[in-house]
Amino acid sequence: MVIGFDTEELARRAAAGDRGALDELLAAIGPRVLEQCGRFLPCRQDAEEAAQDALVQVARHIERFEGRSLFTTWLHTVVANCARQTYRSLRRRAAEVPSALLPVDVVDPRTTSVIAGSRLDLLDALDRLEAHRPELVTALVLRDMCQLDYQEIAGQLGIPVGTLKSRIHHARRHVRESLQGD
């Protein structure tokens, strides 16, 4: 999610309490946030829901952006968490609806698209990983899904690069084992 220098400046001003800068920032990042959510969620409506949640989280918690790393790095974390939370919520809602009430022609993305099914399987694997080793999830998501570099992620998480690489290695191993077990 490469946005520009102006975005970084807007984020600093918004974090300092400038409401006008916050409005400009939200307008500037909106399309990129939606694109990033689309990497996690195969259905456009779900990605839009997650993007909306992410923008609300940015607006509510912009003061938490301390400037230790780039705003875009902080934003990646917010977006990834919102996308994963949206997926959990959708999965929970689907489990609560009796199957007799579901329309017969509902298409299961796992059976119609390898890419969509893979994304859903990965989100399930990340949920399982989070249940056992929550400290590994953010590192893996920021590196493999958001494609940030090691220095950026280490700065955001406040850990040495060596520790980060170790977490990513262990997370990949757990996710691989989880996916092979599906």
Side-chain angles (χ1 to χ4, degrees), residues 98-122:
S99 59
L101 298 179
L102 292 175
V104 176
D105 60 349
V106 170
V107 177
D108 181 359
R110 290 178 194 250
T111 60
T112 58
S113 166
V114 172
I115 294 170
S118 297
R119 282 191 227 166
L120 297 176
D121 291 340
L122 178 60

PDB file of all heavy atoms in Angstrom, residues 98-122:
ATOM      1  N   PRO A  98     -29.812 -21.303  10.153  1.00  0.00           N
ATOM      2  CA  PRO A  98     -30.145 -22.694   9.845  1.00  0.00           C
ATOM      3  C   PRO A  98     -30.050 -22.945   8.344  1.00  0.00           C
ATOM      4  O   PRO A  98     -30.445 -22.106   7.538  1.00  0.00           O
ATOM      5  CB  PRO A  98     -31.587 -22.849  10.324  1.00  0.00           C
ATOM      6  CG  PRO A  98     -31.832 -21.688  11.231  1.00  0.00           C
ATOM      7  CD  PRO A  98     -30.901 -20.591  10.823  1.00  0.00           C
ATOM      8  N   SER A  99     -29.512 -24.084   7.967  1.00  0.00           N
ATOM      9  CA  SER A  99     -29.299 -24.380   6.548  1.00  0.00           C
ATOM     10  C   SER A  99     -30.603 -24.391   5.757  1.00  0.00           C
ATOM     11  O   SER A  99     -30.600 -24.151   4.562  1.00  0.00           O
ATOM     12  CB  SER A  99     -28.564 -25.705   6.384  1.00  0.00           C
ATOM     13  OG  SER A  99     -29.307 -26.743   6.985  1.00  0.00           O
ATOM     14  N   ALA A 100     -31.719 -24.664   6.409  1.00  0.00           N
ATOM     15  CA  ALA A 100     -33.004 -24.666   5.705  1.00  0.00           C
ATOM     16  C   ALA A 100     -33.378 -23.260   5.236  1.00  0.00           C
ATOM     17  O   ALA A 100     -34.148 -23.105   4.297  1.00  0.00           O
ATOM     18  CB  ALA A 100     -34.097 -25.212   6.619  1.00  0.00           C
ATOM     19  N   LEU A 101     -32.829 -22.222   5.874  1.00  0.00           N
ATOM     20  CA  LEU A 101     -33.157 -20.852   5.498  1.00  0.00           C
ATOM     21  C   LEU A 101     -32.253 -20.304   4.403  1.00  0.00           C
ATOM     22  O   LEU A 101     -32.516 -19.246   3.856  1.00  0.00           O
ATOM     23  CB  LEU A 101     -33.068 -19.937   6.723  1.00  0.00           C
ATOM     24  CG  LEU A 101     -34.029 -20.252   7.872  1.00  0.00           C
ATOM     25  CD1 LEU A 101     -33.796 -19.283   9.021  1.00  0.00           C
ATOM     26  CD2 LEU A 101     -35.467 -20.167   7.395  1.00  0.00           C
ATOM     27  N   LEU A 102     -31.167 -21.006   4.099  1.00  0.00           N
ATOM     28  CA  LEU A 102     -30.256 -20.531   3.069  1.00  0.00           C
ATOM     29  C   LEU A 102     -30.848 -20.780   1.690  1.00  0.00           C
ATOM     30  O   LEU A 102     -31.428 -21.823   1.441  1.00  0.00           O
ATOM     31  CB  LEU A 102     -28.906 -21.247   3.174  1.00  0.00           C
ATOM     32  CG  LEU A 102     -28.075 -20.921   4.412  1.00  0.00           C
ATOM     33  CD1 LEU A 102     -26.827 -21.792   4.441  1.00  0.00           C
ATOM     34  CD2 LEU A 102     -27.691 -19.455   4.428  1.00  0.00           C
ATOM     35  N   PRO A 103     -30.660 -19.828   0.771  1.00  0.00           N
ATOM     36  CA  PRO A 103     -31.133 -20.053  -0.601  1.00  0.00           C
ATOM     37  C   PRO A 103     -30.379 -21.223  -1.219  1.00  0.00           C
ATOM     38  O   PRO A 103     -29.212 -21.437  -0.965  1.00  0.00           O
ATOM     39  CB  PRO A 103     -30.785 -18.751  -1.327  1.00  0.00           C
ATOM     40  CG  PRO A 103     -30.390 -17.774  -0.284  1.00  0.00           C
ATOM     41  CD  PRO A 103     -30.078 -18.523   0.967  1.00  0.00           C
ATOM     42  N   VAL A 104     -31.060 -21.946  -2.060  1.00  0.00           N
ATOM     43  CA  VAL A 104     -30.488 -23.138  -2.674  1.00  0.00           C
ATOM     44  C   VAL A 104     -29.354 -22.784  -3.627  1.00  0.00           C
ATOM     45  O   VAL A 104     -28.388 -23.516  -3.740  1.00  0.00           O
ATOM     46  CB  VAL A 104     -31.593 -23.928  -3.420  1.00  0.00           C
ATOM     47  CG1 VAL A 104     -31.002 -25.109  -4.154  1.00  0.00           C
ATOM     48  CG2 VAL A 104     -32.662 -24.362  -2.452  1.00  0.00           C
ATOM     49  N   ASP A 105     -29.444 -21.635  -4.294  1.00  0.00           N
ATOM     50  CA  ASP A 105     -28.443 -21.313  -5.313  1.00  0.00           C
ATOM     51  C   ASP A 105     -27.263 -20.507  -4.781  1.00  0.00           C
ATOM     52  O   ASP A 105     -26.550 -19.869  -5.536  1.00  0.00           O
ATOM     53  CB  ASP A 105     -29.101 -20.570  -6.472  1.00  0.00           C
ATOM     54  CG  ASP A 105     -29.745 -19.269  -6.027  1.00  0.00           C
ATOM     55  OD1 ASP A 105     -29.859 -19.032  -4.816  1.00  0.00           O
ATOM     56  OD2 ASP A 105     -30.127 -18.487  -6.914  1.00  0.00           O
ATOM     57  N   VAL A 106     -27.016 -20.534  -3.472  1.00  0.00           N
ATOM     58  CA  VAL A 106     -25.858 -19.843  -2.919  1.00  0.00           C
ATOM     59  C   VAL A 106     -24.596 -20.536  -3.417  1.00  0.00           C
ATOM     60  O   VAL A 106     -24.465 -21.748  -3.343  1.00  0.00           O
ATOM     61  CB  VAL A 106     -25.888 -19.858  -1.370  1.00  0.00           C
ATOM     62  CG1 VAL A 106     -24.571 -19.353  -0.802  1.00  0.00           C
ATOM     63  CG2 VAL A 106     -27.040 -19.026  -0.863  1.00  0.00           C
ATOM     64  N   VAL A 107     -23.685 -19.751  -3.950  1.00  0.00           N
ATOM     65  CA  VAL A 107     -22.452 -20.286  -4.500  1.00  0.00           C
ATOM     66  C   VAL A 107     -21.393 -20.293  -3.405  1.00  0.00           C
ATOM     67  O   VAL A 107     -21.156 -19.288  -2.762  1.00  0.00           O
ATOM     68  CB  VAL A 107     -21.973 -19.433  -5.703  1.00  0.00           C
ATOM     69  CG1 VAL A 107     -20.659 -19.943  -6.233  1.00  0.00           C
ATOM     70  CG2 VAL A 107     -23.037 -19.410  -6.779  1.00  0.00           C
ATOM     71  N   ASP A 108     -20.767 -21.436  -3.200  1.00  0.00           N
ATOM     72  CA  ASP A 108     -19.686 -21.558  -2.237  1.00  0.00           C
ATOM     73  C   ASP A 108     -18.387 -21.205  -2.941  1.00  0.00           C
ATOM     74  O   ASP A 108     -17.985 -21.909  -3.859  1.00  0.00           O
ATOM     75  CB  ASP A 108     -19.624 -22.978  -1.686  1.00  0.00           C
ATOM     76  CG  ASP A 108     -18.529 -23.156  -0.652  1.00  0.00           C
ATOM     77  OD1 ASP A 108     -17.791 -22.196  -0.354  1.00  0.00           O
ATOM     78  OD2 ASP A 108     -18.419 -24.279  -0.135  1.00  0.00           O
ATOM     79  N   PRO A 109     -17.713 -20.101  -2.546  1.00  0.00           N
ATOM     80  CA  PRO A 109     -16.496 -19.700  -3.239  1.00  0.00           C
ATOM     81  C   PRO A 109     -15.396 -20.759  -3.164  1.00  0.00           C
ATOM     82  O   PRO A 109     -14.522 -20.814  -4.002  1.00  0.00           O
ATOM     83  CB  PRO A 109     -16.070 -18.420  -2.537  1.00  0.00           C
ATOM     84  CG  PRO A 109     -16.818 -18.382  -1.270  1.00  0.00           C
ATOM     85  CD  PRO A 109     -18.059 -19.212  -1.468  1.00  0.00           C
ATOM     86  N   ARG A 110     -15.460 -21.644  -2.184  1.00  0.00           N
ATOM     87  CA  ARG A 110     -14.440 -22.694  -2.081  1.00  0.00           C
ATOM     88  C   ARG A 110     -14.547 -23.682  -3.238  1.00  0.00           C
ATOM     89  O   ARG A 110     -13.569 -24.301  -3.616  1.00  0.00           O
ATOM     90  CB  ARG A 110     -14.584 -23.452  -0.771  1.00  0.00           C
ATOM     91  CG  ARG A 110     -14.216 -22.652   0.438  1.00  0.00           C
ATOM     92  CD  ARG A 110     -14.440 -23.497   1.676  1.00  0.00           C
ATOM     93  NE  ARG A 110     -14.424 -22.675   2.847  1.00  0.00           N
ATOM     94  CZ  ARG A 110     -13.458 -22.705   3.749  1.00  0.00           C
ATOM     95  NH1 ARG A 110     -12.459 -23.504   3.615  1.00  0.00           N
ATOM     96  NH2 ARG A 110     -13.511 -21.920   4.792  1.00  0.00           N
ATOM     97  N   THR A 111     -15.747 -23.850  -3.773  1.00  0.00           N
ATOM     98  CA  THR A 111     -15.917 -24.820  -4.854  1.00  0.00           C
ATOM     99  C   THR A 111     -15.916 -24.162  -6.230  1.00  0.00           C
ATOM    100  O   THR A 111     -15.829 -24.857  -7.225  1.00  0.00           O
ATOM    101  CB  THR A 111     -17.231 -25.608  -4.685  1.00  0.00           C
ATOM    102  OG1 THR A 111     -18.318 -24.685  -4.705  1.00  0.00           O
ATOM    103  CG2 THR A 111     -17.232 -26.404  -3.405  1.00  0.00           C
ATOM    104  N   THR A 112     -16.012 -22.859  -6.292  1.00  0.00           N
ATOM    105  CA  THR A 112     -16.082 -22.200  -7.590  1.00  0.00           C
ATOM    106  C   THR A 112     -14.802 -21.489  -7.978  1.00  0.00           C
ATOM    107  O   THR A 112     -14.594 -21.188  -9.132  1.00  0.00           O
ATOM    108  CB  THR A 112     -17.224 -21.164  -7.609  1.00  0.00           C
ATOM    109  OG1 THR A 112     -16.989 -20.210  -6.571  1.00  0.00           O
ATOM    110  CG2 THR A 112     -18.552 -21.827  -7.418  1.00  0.00           C
ATOM    111  N   SER A 113     -13.944 -21.199  -7.030  1.00  0.00           N
ATOM    112  CA  SER A 113     -12.729 -20.463  -7.339  1.00  0.00           C
ATOM    113  C   SER A 113     -11.577 -20.956  -6.477  1.00  0.00           C
ATOM    114  O   SER A 113     -11.659 -20.923  -5.259  1.00  0.00           O
ATOM    115  CB  SER A 113     -12.952 -18.966  -7.086  1.00  0.00           C
ATOM    116  OG  SER A 113     -11.732 -18.280  -7.071  1.00  0.00           O
ATOM    117  N   VAL A 114     -10.537 -21.374  -7.117  1.00  0.00           N
ATOM    118  CA  VAL A 114      -9.367 -21.829  -6.376  1.00  0.00           C
ATOM    119  C   VAL A 114      -8.793 -20.672  -5.570  1.00  0.00           C
ATOM    120  O   VAL A 114      -8.428 -20.820  -4.408  1.00  0.00           O
ATOM    121  CB  VAL A 114      -8.301 -22.397  -7.341  1.00  0.00           C
ATOM    122  CG1 VAL A 114      -7.008 -22.682  -6.620  1.00  0.00           C
ATOM    123  CG2 VAL A 114      -8.833 -23.636  -8.019  1.00  0.00           C
ATOM    124  N   ILE A 115      -8.749 -19.492  -6.161  1.00  0.00           N
ATOM    125  CA  ILE A 115      -8.182 -18.338  -5.470  1.00  0.00           C
ATOM    126  C   ILE A 115      -9.032 -17.976  -4.263  1.00  0.00           C
ATOM    127  O   ILE A 115      -8.530 -17.791  -3.162  1.00  0.00           O
ATOM    128  CB  ILE A 115      -8.040 -17.142  -6.426  1.00  0.00           C
ATOM    129  CG1 ILE A 115      -6.997 -17.471  -7.499  1.00  0.00           C
ATOM    130  CG2 ILE A 115      -7.656 -15.885  -5.672  1.00  0.00           C
ATOM    131  CD1 ILE A 115      -6.935 -16.487  -8.624  1.00  0.00           C
ATOM    132  N   ALA A 116     -10.339 -17.865  -4.441  1.00  0.00           N
ATOM    133  CA  ALA A 116     -11.213 -17.511  -3.326  1.00  0.00           C
ATOM    134  C   ALA A 116     -11.154 -18.576  -2.248  1.00  0.00           C
ATOM    135  O   ALA A 116     -11.058 -18.268  -1.061  1.00  0.00           O
ATOM    136  CB  ALA A 116     -12.650 -17.321  -3.816  1.00  0.00           C
ATOM    137  N   GLY A 117     -11.201 -19.826  -2.627  1.00  0.00           N
ATOM    138  CA  GLY A 117     -11.125 -20.907  -1.654  1.00  0.00           C
ATOM    139  C   GLY A 117      -9.812 -20.884  -0.901  1.00  0.00           C
ATOM    140  O   GLY A 117      -9.763 -21.106   0.307  1.00  0.00           O
ATOM    141  N   SER A 118      -8.737 -20.588  -1.601  1.00  0.00           N
ATOM    142  CA  SER A 118      -7.431 -20.520  -0.954  1.00  0.00           C
ATOM    143  C   SER A 118      -7.386 -19.395   0.065  1.00  0.00           C
ATOM    144  O   SER A 118      -6.820 -19.543   1.131  1.00  0.00           O
ATOM    145  CB  SER A 118      -6.327 -20.314  -1.999  1.00  0.00           C
ATOM    146  OG  SER A 118      -6.276 -21.410  -2.869  1.00  0.00           O
ATOM    147  N   ARG A 119      -7.982 -18.262  -0.279  1.00  0.00           N
ATOM    148  CA  ARG A 119      -8.013 -17.140   0.666  1.00  0.00           C
ATOM    149  C   ARG A 119      -8.783 -17.520   1.923  1.00  0.00           C
ATOM    150  O   ARG A 119      -8.365 -17.208   3.025  1.00  0.00           O
ATOM    151  CB  ARG A 119      -8.670 -15.921   0.033  1.00  0.00           C
ATOM    152  CG  ARG A 119      -7.779 -15.176  -0.907  1.00  0.00           C
ATOM    153  CD  ARG A 119      -8.411 -13.864  -1.274  1.00  0.00           C
ATOM    154  NE  ARG A 119      -8.320 -13.687  -2.703  1.00  0.00           N
ATOM    155  CZ  ARG A 119      -8.989 -12.798  -3.382  1.00  0.00           C
ATOM    156  NH1 ARG A 119      -9.827 -11.999  -2.796  1.00  0.00           N
ATOM    157  NH2 ARG A 119      -8.838 -12.697  -4.675  1.00  0.00           N
ATOM    158  N   LEU A 120      -9.921 -18.162   1.739  1.00  0.00           N
ATOM    159  CA  LEU A 120     -10.724 -18.557   2.893  1.00  0.00           C
ATOM    160  C   LEU A 120     -10.000 -19.597   3.728  1.00  0.00           C
ATOM    161  O   LEU A 120     -10.017 -19.538   4.958  1.00  0.00           O
ATOM    162  CB  LEU A 120     -12.083 -19.074   2.435  1.00  0.00           C
ATOM    163  CG  LEU A 120     -12.965 -18.041   1.721  1.00  0.00           C
ATOM    164  CD1 LEU A 120     -14.252 -18.690   1.229  1.00  0.00           C
ATOM    165  CD2 LEU A 120     -13.265 -16.852   2.603  1.00  0.00           C
ATOM    166  N   ASP A 121      -9.347 -20.539   3.080  1.00  0.00           N
ATOM    167  CA  ASP A 121      -8.568 -21.536   3.810  1.00  0.00           C
ATOM    168  C   ASP A 121      -7.445 -20.866   4.592  1.00  0.00           C
ATOM    169  O   ASP A 121      -7.160 -21.235   5.724  1.00  0.00           O
ATOM    170  CB  ASP A 121      -7.985 -22.578   2.856  1.00  0.00           C
ATOM    171  CG  ASP A 121      -9.056 -23.474   2.252  1.00  0.00           C
ATOM    172  OD1 ASP A 121     -10.161 -23.562   2.831  1.00  0.00           O
ATOM    173  OD2 ASP A 121      -8.788 -24.079   1.202  1.00  0.00           O
ATOM    174  N   LEU A 122      -6.798 -19.893   3.979  1.00  0.00           N
ATOM    175  CA  LEU A 122      -5.717 -19.181   4.658  1.00  0.00           C
ATOM    176  C   LEU A 122      -6.250 -18.416   5.863  1.00  0.00           C
ATOM    177  O   LEU A 122      -5.632 -18.425   6.933  1.00  0.00           O
ATOM    178  CB  LEU A 122      -5.004 -18.237   3.687  1.00  0.00           C
ATOM    179  CG  LEU A 122      -3.888 -17.398   4.305  1.00  0.00           C
ATOM    180  CD1 LEU A 122      -2.796 -18.279   4.908  1.00  0.00           C
ATOM    181  CD2 LEU A 122      -3.303 -16.450   3.263  1.00  0.00           C
TER     182      LEU A 122
END
